[in-house]
Every structure is written in structure tokens, then in C-alpha cells.
Amino acid sequence: MTRRIVVVSGGLAEPSTTRLLADRIAEATRVAVGTRGDDAETEVIELRALRTW
């Protein structure tokens, strides 16, 4: 079964420490899901790109 991991990052800096942490958590989660025999795909939503100011 393919699982979906959605990462929402709200960091404003470039590079964002929030994003770096989110990437590490997502990768650890993907690995953990893989050890159970499932696949995982990751989608990242960058709130920085959606800001209006």
C-alpha cells in the first residue's frame, strides 16, 4: 500500500530551519513506513510561497 506524507512548512528564511526539520521528519517517517513493507510518497506545501505580503 502506498502511504502519503504531507509536509507543511511555515518557515520564512531561505533556507528555512523549519523546512530542514520537516524534511528530516518526513524522511524518517518514509523509512519507518518502508520497514513495514509499504511505500510512501511525500508532498511538501510551502506556506512561504502562499504569503501575500
Side-chain angles (χ1 to χ4, degrees):
M1 174 182 279
T2 300
R3 303 290 182 169
R4 187 171 181 197
I5 301 167
V6 179
V7 176
V8 179
S9 176
L12 297 177
E14 185 64 44
S16 166
T17 54
T18 303
R19 172 61 191 269
L20 296 172
L21 177 60
D23 287 344
R24 291 179 82 175
I25 293 170
E27 178 62 16
T29 303
R30 190 191 63 72
V31 169
V33 168
T35 62
R36 295 189 323 204
D38 291 334
D39 292 324
E41 58 184 41
T42 304
E43 177 183 352
V44 177
I45 300 171
E46 287 277 358
L47 296 181
R48 175 180 49 235
L50 302 175
R51 73 175 184 233
T52 58
W53 46 273

